[in-house]
Amino acid sequence: MQVEIRLADSPLRRWHLELVDRLASLPHVEAIVTSSPGADVRRNRPGGIEAVFAVERLLHGRVQGLSAPVAPVPSGDRSRTPDVLLDLGAAPADDPAAWRLEFDGQPGEAAALAALRQGRPPLVRVVRHDRTVVVAGRPGSESPGVLVAAFDDLLAGCVTLLVKAVSSSPAADPPPVPAEESAVPSLARHAAGQLAGAVAHRGYRALYRAPHWRVGWRYVDGPSVIDAPSTAAGGWRVLPDDGRRFYADPFPLVHDEQLFLFVEDYEHRVGQGVISVVRFDEDGPSTTPTPVLRHRVHLSYPFVFEHDGEIWMIPETSAAGTIELYRAIRFPARWSLETTLVSGVEASDSTVFRHRDRWWMLGTVRSGGSFSDSLHIWHAEQITGPWTAHPHNPVLVDISSARPAGRVEDRDGRLLRPVQDGRSGYGAALGLAEITELDEQHFDQQVLSRLTPGPWWPGRRLHTLNRAGRLECIDGSAMSPRFWSRHGTGGR
């Protein structure tokens, strides 16, 4: 199969080369890049955008990313008619064989940048000439406020979607989100805002430790938040910290009629997380969090569960490029690496559950862009593997509902899962979704509701939800002054 990538009114950029490489990795696919001689390459981006990108790279210490132009523009071989024509121009040719890339229904990079300048990720679609949608997604970024970072991450997601389109690999549709009508700020105003924001950020970092997460907990005897989101408000208490470290990603577990809470334990001075555990009694935490698992890389998201009389844990080890399974050899203090479930992936928040006599594992995998927008699935007969990747990975590309945010719960055959909604940035909100289709060939889900921080849970972030027994836990953001710390972190 020959795939022609027609640039028309755009110069060659790094993301085009990445697309060629990814397409060439598919069996029996040859990709070429062509351009239109004499095309006006200025129309595909607003004037002055490269200067804004240069300012942002300087302020935020970023290197040239996928949006950077490369030269010269090659002239591909047009001696044969391509099997697939990907027309990436702002004004695609009227070719009935062409597929085009659209951002909120409009082609061209200028349309993508208009959405990003409004602070939102666009809906990206690959459409045929007859308006049939080949594949759709909502790629995003952990840094939506930095235009060049958000754009690079968006382009990485576009590469993933275009590869899925060419390989005829279906994906679940991203959920609809309310339209957000707002004016597109001028580039001069954006650049001024970036400069002011960078100064304010440096001042904030000089005065406060950031980011600083905190764990909220409460005892409940009725429905959990995942069953009834209206119950989210009220009754939350904070797991104490000393200000020099934070706790996040809470996973409670009941074992031998005792309550344990496993958390990411991050010491700001060290800059790396470990997994710690705290015991709970009828009044709340009865001990301080104590480290139980360390690694050469940062650890987080301590997914703990019981199976066949053993206690297991799958912590996030994305920096190692692995998904690892640990077994408690003396619970809760000693753990041993049982096996590596998956290698060669930068996977976040791997979450396992049983469904139809199989183990299933969900996690988002980074492919040069966001950590949070591309959902991958694996399945296995045994928890120790071997694990098989879903043939349509990533099964969903969506910054608002891909990344796991806690355990999948079975409610009378309904699979409900908390998801991270990162449209406004990492950890901005929680969504609650129902998996409506899942087998070795299919996946689909429906987002049921969305939770944001508020008076019931102060702060700007909310990104994990779990319950075990009566103990329900969430996490969110807090402020931690550098020149003041809280003492006496233990107990109540």
Side-chain angles (χ1 to χ4, degrees):
M1 174 189 293
Q2 186 179 66
V3 178
E4 178 184 339
I5 303 167
R6 184 175 297 173
L7 303 186
D9 44 19
S10 172
L12 184 69
R13 304 192 187 279
R14 288 185 178 179
W15 80 276
H16 300 133
L17 299 181
E18 176 68 15
L19 177 58
V20 169
D21 289 343
R22 291 274 298 276
L23 289 173
S25 69
L26 299 175
H28 313 297
V29 172
E30 175 191 359
I32 63 170
V33 179
T34 63
S35 61
S36 299
D40 183 4
V41 301
R42 295 170 298 177
R43 66 179 299 172
N44 207 10
R45 286 191 182 183
I49 191 67
E50 298 297 344
V52 171
F53 284 173
V55 170
E56 289 187 326
R57 292 189 185 103
L58 180 64
L59 291 175
H60 301 282
R62 295 187 60 86
V63 298
Q64 292 273 2
L66 291 180
S67 62
V70 293
V73 176
S75 178
D77 179 11
R78 294 186 179 181
S79 61
R80 54 174 287 192
T81 301
D83 299 289
V84 175
L85 170 60
L86 301 179
D87 197 336
L88 305 184
D94 188 19
D95 188 330
W99 297 358
R100 72 179 189 178
L101 189 66
E102 293 186 344
F103 305 92
D104 291 336
Q106 300 297 320
E109 294 178 357
L113 287 164
L116 296 178
R117 287 162 64 190
Q118 291 177 308
R120 59 180 181 83
L123 176 64
V124 180
R125 300 188 303 177
V126 180
V127 298
R128 295 187 176 91
H129 186 266
D130 62 2
R131 307 301 301 159
T132 302
V133 177
V134 183
V135 69
R138 190 178 289 108
S141 174
E142 281 73 33
S143 303
V146 181
L147 192 58
V148 67
F151 191 44
D152 284 339
D153 289 343
L154 174 65
L155 294 177
C158 289
V159 171
T160 296
L161 289 170
L162 287 164
V163 171
K164 286 183 69 65
V166 170
S167 62
S168 301
S169 177
D173 288 333
V177 297
E180 300 178 11
E181 297 294 336
S182 61
V184 179
S186 69
L187 290 176
R189 183 177 179 181
H190 176 87
Q194 281 289 303
L195 180 59
V199 172
H201 181 71
R202 284 178 170 81
Y204 179 83
R205 293 297 295 264
L207 296 173
Y208 296 93
R209 304 176 182 95
H212 192 84
W213 292 85
R214 59 182 174 180
V215 167
W217 66 272
R218 67 180 182 180
Y219 285 133
V220 291
D221 295 308
S224 66
V225 173
I226 202 168
D227 299 306
S230 61
T231 66
W236 296 100
R237 301 169 65 182
V238 175
L239 183 68
D241 65 68
D242 61 5
R244 298 186 178 93
R245 62 188 343 109
F246 69 67
Y247 305 120
D249 292 344
F251 275 84
L253 180 75
V254 178
H255 179 63
D256 288 342
E257 300 183 350
Q258 296 185 66
L259 270 171
F260 300 86
L261 178 62
F262 291 82
V263 294
E264 172 195 343
D265 181 343
Y266 183 94
E267 186 176 356
H268 288 288
R269 179 183 59 84
V270 176
Q272 181 169 311
V274 300
I275 303 304
S276 288
V277 67
V278 55
R279 295 173 184 262
F280 275 67
D281 61 22
E282 64 275 6
D283 296 318
S286 59
T287 63
T288 57
T290 303
V292 296
L293 184 63
R294 302 178 185 273
H295 199 284
R296 63 179 176 83
V297 300
H298 172 76
L299 294 178
S300 60
Y301 203 78
F303 190 96
V304 290
F305 61 102
E306 189 167 1
H307 174 64
D308 280 349
E310 303 273 11
I311 307 296
W312 308 87
M313 183 194 302
I314 304 176
E316 181 187 312
T317 53
S318 59
T322 57
I323 303 176
E324 300 176 359
L325 177 68
Y326 289 80
R327 182 172 56 88
I329 56 177
R330 191 178 74 235
F331 184 86
R334 291 189 61 193
W335 298 79
S336 174
L337 176 62
E338 185 76 9
T339 187
T340 297
L341 304 180
V342 181
S343 298
V345 294
E346 198 170 356
S348 298
D349 301 345
S350 299
T351 299
V352 300
F353 60 99
R354 293 282 292 176
H355 174 61
R356 293 180 180 174
D357 298 323
R358 295 190 71 79
W359 284 98
W360 298 84
M361 181 163 60
L362 311 178
T364 50
V365 173
R366 183 171 184 257
S367 297
S370 170
F371 291 88
S372 306
D373 63 6
S374 296
L375 179 64
H376 285 234
I377 296 177
W378 300 265
H379 58 88
E381 293 185 0
Q382 305 294 330
I383 188 61
T384 53
W387 288 81
T388 300
H390 199 283
H392 303 308
N393 281 340
V395 297
L396 173 67
V397 177
D398 181 32
I399 194 67
S400 74
S401 68
R403 186 165 175 167
R407 296 186 178 107
V408 175
E409 301 287 349
D410 190 322
R411 296 294 188 268
D412 298 323
R414 298 177 66 203
L415 296 177
L416 305 178
R417 75 179 191 109
V419 297
Q420 295 190 36
D421 185 341
R423 283 175 289 160
S424 300
Y426 176 68
L430 272 176
L432 298 176
E434 178 180 357
I435 299 174
T436 55
E437 188 174 19
L438 177 63
D439 58 34
E440 288 88 339
Q441 293 294 325
H442 305 92
F443 170 83
D444 204 356
Q445 71 174 23
Q446 178 183 1
V447 176
L448 306 176
S449 59
R450 185 172 185 261
L451 296 172
T452 58
W456 64 277
W457 179 247
R460 297 177 294 106
R461 304 183 187 188
L462 182 67
H463 94 326
T464 308
L465 170 66
N466 280 302
R467 179 178 175 178
R470 298 181 59 226
L471 181 59
E472 188 168 40
C473 300
I474 56 176
D475 64 2
S477 61
M479 297 178 68
S480 177
R482 288 186 178 275
F483 307 107
W484 176 83
S485 62
R486 295 174 287 278
H487 300 282
T489 64
R492 323 253 189 244

